[in-house]
Every structure is written in C-alpha cells, then in structure tokens.
C-alpha cells in the first residue's frame, strides 16, 4: 500500500494521496515501517528532509510504474494518516522518537455521533432516546464513579444497525459495562445482581436495568 500510494503521488503531483493505516499500534509500527521512519521528517515544503536508498524490489516496482529513481523520498502531496487507541492494553507501545514524527488530532468520547438523526436513536424502558444523550448519561454516571476516560462509551461503540437491535444493546453495550467497566462493582450502575437478571429485566427494551437518570 505504501509503494502504491507513493507511486501515485509521484505520477500525479496535482493530487493529494493518502495511505490510511488503521490501528497503528496493533503491530510493531517502527519495525513494520523500517527505514520509512526516516522519511516522516518533513521540511516546510512538505517534502522528506532525508531520503533512503531504494531496495532492488522498490526500484523494480518504480520502473513498472514508469518511475526511474534510486532513492525513496516523500513528496508534499503524499500523506500517511493513522488511527490508534492509546488506551488499548496488550498492544505495542510507540516510542517517543516515533511519536514525535506525527501530528495528532485527539478524538474523545464526547465527540457527537455522526449517524443520521433518525438512526442515532436507542430504545430503553419503552422510550426512544438520542444515542448521544443516552450514552452521555451513562458516561456522566461512570465519571462520577471514578471510571477512567478510556473505558467510557464513545460515539461509535455501537454500529448504526446495532442501535436498533435490542439484543445487540444488551449483549454488546450492557455486557461491556458489566464485565469490563464495572467488573467488581456492577451495583454502581445496574439494579440487578447478575447479568442473567439484567437480561430478564431488559425485557427486549421494555425494562430499565440501569440505575440511571435519563433526560425526558
């Protein structure tokens, strides 16, 4: 993907080309990128400050695209964008030398959900609530309980289709809150003493298993 994107950027300097890396810290990013790490230092003109020698495979790939080059360098119209959840446990850490080569945009749990308004709705207790209002009430309650930010419910925790699926709300959202967020103090949010009881009191969306104050 990197070589395809780079070749396109070199062949079409009038275009902006983006290579998107999902979950950057799911692998050893520095090892995966290798010498490309040196290219991430950009000058004021957007070009790599340094260049690296192209490997025989890279030269052959360039030649197949009609590009003649013995070095690899990033032009100003070529971008690497990556996503990561810095709170994920059990993944590879990113060292400071690697991190400083990137610009950051923080996306927090308070970001509004961009699903269409008729989709971003959830049923609870026989009533319909805005998804942002519903998860906002949950998050406010969890913050009062001292729950860390990385455990709170973000705007896309549930996919658009899952918001209208009452079983998905139970099995994904409620079970996450029960098992992961409040593992040893479920009573801080739930009115039942077992998840089996939560399942019963949920009653396909007609019940109210959460000790939660919701907006009218």
């Amino acid at each position: 993907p990197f070589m395809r994107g780079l070749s396109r950027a070199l062949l079409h300097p009038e275009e902006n080309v983006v290579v998107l890396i999902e979950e950057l810290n799911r692998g050893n990013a520095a090892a995966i990128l290798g010498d490309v790490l040196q290219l991430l230092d950009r000058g004021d003109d957007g070009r790599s400050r340094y260049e690296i020698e192209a490997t025989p495979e890279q030269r052959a790939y360039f030649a197949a695209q009609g590009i003649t080059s013995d070095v690899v360098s990033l032009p100003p119209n070529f971008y690497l964008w990556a996503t990561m959840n810095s709170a994920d446990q059990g993944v590879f850490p990113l060292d400071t030398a690697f991190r400083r080569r990137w610009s950051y945009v923080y996306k927090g749990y308070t970001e509004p959900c961009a699903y269409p308004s008729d989709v971003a709705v959830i049923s609870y207790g026989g009533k319909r609530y805005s998804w942002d209002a519903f998860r906002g009430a949950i998050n406010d309650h969890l913050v009062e309980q001292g729950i860390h930010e990385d455990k709170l419910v973000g705007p896309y925790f549930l996919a658009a289709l899952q918001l209208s699926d009452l079983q998905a709300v139970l099995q994904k959202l409620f079970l996450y809150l029960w098992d992961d967020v409040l593992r040893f103090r479920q009573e801080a949010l739930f009115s039942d003493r077992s998840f089996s009881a939560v399942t019963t009191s949920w009653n396909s969306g007609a019940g109210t298993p959460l000790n939660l104050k919701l907006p009218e």
Side-chain angles (χ1 to χ4, degrees):
F2 171 79
M3 289 300 294
R4 288 201 304 271
L6 177 57
S7 296
R8 184 174 182 88
L10 292 171
L11 291 170
H12 301 277
E14 76 285 356
E15 292 182 0
N16 287 326
V17 179
V18 177
V19 171
L20 183 62
I21 306 170
E22 180 73 293
E23 298 280 8
L24 178 66
N25 56 333
R26 287 290 174 180
N28 188 338
I32 292 169
L33 289 175
D35 289 346
V36 172
L37 178 64
Q38 298 179 53
L39 307 181
L40 300 183
D41 279 321
R42 307 276 192 121
D44 293 338
D45 61 354
R47 298 181 183 278
S48 293
R49 294 180 184 273
Y50 312 103
E51 57 187 30
I52 58 176
E53 182 179 354
T55 64
E57 292 83 5
Q58 288 172 322
R59 288 197 296 271
Y61 186 88
F62 278 149
Q65 310 304 313
I67 301 169
T68 302
S69 180
D70 293 328
V71 298
V72 178
S73 179
L74 305 187
N77 63 322
F78 182 61
Y79 297 85
L80 290 173
W81 289 2
T83 67
M84 65 175 286
N85 183 351
S86 59
D88 278 341
Q89 301 178 21
V91 298
F92 287 89
L94 301 180
D95 63 46
T96 303
F98 184 87
R99 292 172 67 100
R100 72 174 177 79
R101 288 174 164 86
W102 299 78
S103 298
Y104 286 83
V105 177
Y106 174 75
K107 308 293 282 186
Y109 71 92
T110 56
E111 294 274 336
C113 180
Y115 295 152
S117 58
D118 60 330
V119 173
V121 175
I122 191 168
S123 294
Y124 178 83
K127 298 181 180 180
R128 288 165 61 80
Y129 295 93
S130 155
W131 167 231
D132 278 342
F134 185 77
R135 68 182 185 85
I138 292 176
N139 288 335
D140 289 345
H141 187 88
L142 294 176
V143 168
E144 291 177 0
Q145 302 299 319
I147 300 300
H148 193 270
E149 182 176 348
D150 67 336
K151 292 291 188 182
L152 303 182
V153 181
Y156 307 107
F157 184 87
L158 291 177
L161 291 177
Q162 292 175 330
L163 288 174
S164 60
D165 184 341
L166 298 174
Q167 279 301 305
V169 173
L170 172 68
Q171 301 295 343
K172 186 172 183 181
L173 176 60
F174 291 173
L175 189 59
Y176 164 72
L177 295 170
W178 182 277
D179 271 351
D180 294 340
V181 180
L182 298 164
R183 176 175 288 274
F184 300 112
R185 46 174 173 151
Q186 290 91 347
E187 71 282 354
L189 179 62
F190 290 88
S191 55
D192 298 293
R193 294 193 175 186
S194 70
F195 196 75
S196 178
V198 171
T199 302
T200 301
S201 61
W202 174 231
N203 191 22
S204 298
T208 55
L210 305 180
N211 292 320
L212 200 62
K213 183 177 182 181
L214 290 167
E216 289 297 328

